[in-house]
Amino acid sequence: MNEKLNITQWAEEDRPREKMLLHGPAALSNAELLAILIGSGNTEETAVELMRKVLDDCHNRLSELGKYTVDDLCRYKGIGPAKAVSILAASELGKRRREEEPSERKKITSSQDVYAFFYPLMCDLPVEECWVMLLNQAAKVIDTVKISRGGLASTQVDVRCILREALLKRATSMILCHNHPSGNIRPSQDDDRLTHALLEAARTMNIRLLDHVVVSDGDYYSYGDEGRL
């Protein structure tokens, strides 16, 4: 008689959690994703095999699974109330996600857009902060990340940290922004060096540095507008 292999005995690339870490959630089947939720199967079936059986009874349709009750799921050996609730909670989250209105990402078309975005965050800061705005191919904002926070006159910025954030978010372009609490919008030599270093490093990663904007109370300086990029 063939013995059931536990998931921990599978090849690492075949285990649902490890497979997700290696290849992302899109690489997993519905049964594998559900197996992650329940964590374990029963004495005869792994979590994946158990969820394949459940899905087979649902004609492999998640919409049908969403109609199940806790009692329906608990009829399967290896699924108790806690596991059933996890499955139904995930199903409800999927339903609510479909019902949500897609959020419109802000498109950045000018340095004024950058200033309008960051000014509320920076106008009253007593020290310098440096942020990076990450954009997609359509120049829409993917995310904004605070890179560093420093003293009254400067902040230390690691170019590698900026590139790491851009790569993780799959940004195709980015904009750097920091504030000058003194109110003087003219960039310093350190600002110039940072801009040049980031520009060159980003090119090697095929990421465009569109601008570096220096914000103060009521005014700003744009490297892009000044033709310095």
Side-chain angles (χ1 to χ4, degrees):
M1 183 179 293
N2 293 331
E3 293 185 4
K4 183 198 74 166
L5 286 176
N6 293 324
I7 286 180
T8 55
Q9 296 173 286
W10 296 8
E12 185 170 312
E13 61 272 17
D14 291 331
R15 301 178 205 162
R17 290 188 183 88
E18 284 78 358
K19 189 174 179 181
M20 180 181 285
L21 289 171
L22 285 170
H23 305 294
L28 275 66
S29 67
N30 289 341
E32 289 170 327
L33 290 169
L34 289 165
I36 291 175
L37 290 176
I38 66 172
S40 61
N42 55 46
T43 53
E44 291 88 29
E45 300 165 306
T46 65
V48 175
E49 290 166 341
L50 175 55
M51 291 317 304
R52 282 178 183 152
K53 178 190 289 185
V54 174
L55 286 171
D56 186 57
D57 290 343
C58 296
H59 307 100
N60 290 308
R61 294 180 61 85
L62 293 176
S63 59
E64 290 296 318
L65 179 62
K67 297 175 183 177
Y68 273 31
T69 66
V70 169
D71 288 340
D72 291 333
L73 289 168
C74 286
R75 285 200 288 265
Y76 293 89
K77 182 179 180 181
I79 299 180
K83 291 181 180 179
V85 165
S86 294
I87 293 168
L88 296 180
S91 179
E92 179 63 21
L93 282 173
K95 176 184 174 184
R96 293 183 186 186
R97 180 180 177 183
R98 288 195 304 271
E99 291 173 349
E100 280 185 354
E101 291 291 332
S103 57
E104 182 64 26
R105 289 175 170 170
K106 180 173 178 57
K107 185 170 184 177
I108 301 299
T109 60
S110 67
S111 59
Q112 179 62 41
D113 289 343
V114 180
Y115 174 72
F117 188 98
F118 281 110
Y119 178 74
L121 295 174
M122 296 181 167
C123 62
D124 296 324
L125 291 176
V127 297
E128 279 199 13
E129 286 188 357
C130 184
W131 289 67
V132 63
M133 175 182 280
L134 304 172
L135 308 172
N136 63 18
Q137 193 69 39
K140 292 186 176 181
V141 178
I142 299 172
D143 199 2
T144 55
V145 182
K146 182 165 66 176
I147 299 299
S148 66
R149 180 179 173 89
L152 293 173
S154 67
T155 179
Q156 297 299 313
V157 179
D158 190 334
V159 169
R160 293 172 300 179
C161 291
I162 299 173
L163 291 179
R164 177 180 179 276
E165 294 294 338
L167 292 169
L168 285 173
K169 301 294 172 58
R170 296 182 173 86
T172 59
S173 59
M174 59 185 171
I175 295 170
L176 202 62
C177 185
H178 79 278
N179 63 309
H180 278 180
S182 66
N184 179 10
I185 63 169
R186 295 297 302 178
S188 66
Q189 290 184 347
D190 285 341
D191 295 337
D192 291 345
R193 282 192 288 267
L194 170 61
T195 304
H196 178 74
L198 182 58
L199 182 66
E200 293 302 314
R203 280 175 180 161
T204 66
M205 300 293 180
N206 199 29
I207 300 170
R208 293 173 296 156
L209 177 62
L210 299 180
D211 206 345
H212 180 180
V213 176
V214 182
V215 172
S216 70
D217 190 7
D219 204 358
Y220 69 94
Y221 179 95
S222 163
Y223 278 80
D225 291 351
E226 296 297 326
R228 299 184 62 190
L229 290 176

